[in-house]
Amino acid sequence: MAQPKSRLPLVLGLTAAGGVGYYLYSAGGSPKVAEKQFESDLARASAKVKSEIPGRGKEAQKEGEKWASEAGAKLDSAADKARAELARVEQYGKDAKVDALKKIDAADRKIETEAAKAKSGISSWFGGK
């Protein structure tokens, strides 16, 4: 005989038969009383589950809000640090630009002075000033 692929149907069937046997035994063999007792237990279990879920939902919501506020604070802190770093880099860029322009102006003045000297020297060879 081939082995069944899954034993789940067998386990579920035995569990169901055991449950029916328990309720019939506890009701003294009366199927109507066993059915009423089963419905009562089912209603009680359902009420207990329903009472647990809203409380857990509120706790989960509070945890979510707490996590979101912490994450928001970390994000704000990171954004502030990035803005400060950007401002520092922009200031460094401005300072570097000013220094470069000063050096370029100084080099231009020196080149113009040297060019004027050279021009006057060459002009003097040909009778100019």
Side-chain angles (χ1 to χ4, degrees):
M1 180 167 164
Q3 193 84 337
K5 291 185 180 178
S6 174
R7 293 185 182 201
L8 184 64
L10 176 65
V11 171
L12 289 176
L14 288 175
T15 303
V20 169
Y22 166 77
Y23 280 105
L24 277 174
Y25 178 76
S26 65
S30 172
K32 294 257 184 209
V33 174
E35 184 180 355
K36 294 291 183 186
Q37 187 178 3
F38 174 73
E39 288 175 358
S40 170
D41 288 347
L42 190 61
R44 195 172 337 139
S46 175
K48 184 176 180 181
V49 167
K50 287 180 181 176
S51 70
E52 288 290 322
I53 290 174
R56 296 199 187 252
K58 289 178 185 176
E59 289 175 14
Q61 183 179 4
K62 288 179 183 177
E63 283 292 322
E65 289 173 358
K66 179 182 173 186
W67 180 82
S69 67
E70 289 175 359
K74 288 180 182 178
L75 184 62
D76 289 343
S77 174
D80 289 342
K81 286 180 182 178
R83 283 188 195 105
E85 187 66 21
L86 179 62
R88 188 179 70 79
V89 168
E90 285 177 346
Q91 186 60 42
Y92 178 77
K94 287 178 184 177
D95 292 345
K97 181 180 176 182
V98 168
D99 284 347
L101 289 175
K102 284 181 184 179
K103 288 180 182 179
I104 289 171
D105 287 342
D108 275 349
R109 279 194 299 274
K110 183 177 179 182
I111 290 170
E112 288 177 6
T113 305
E114 294 297 322
K117 285 181 188 177
K119 184 178 178 184
S120 69
I122 294 174
S123 295
S124 65
W125 290 352
F126 299 109
K129 295 183 183 179

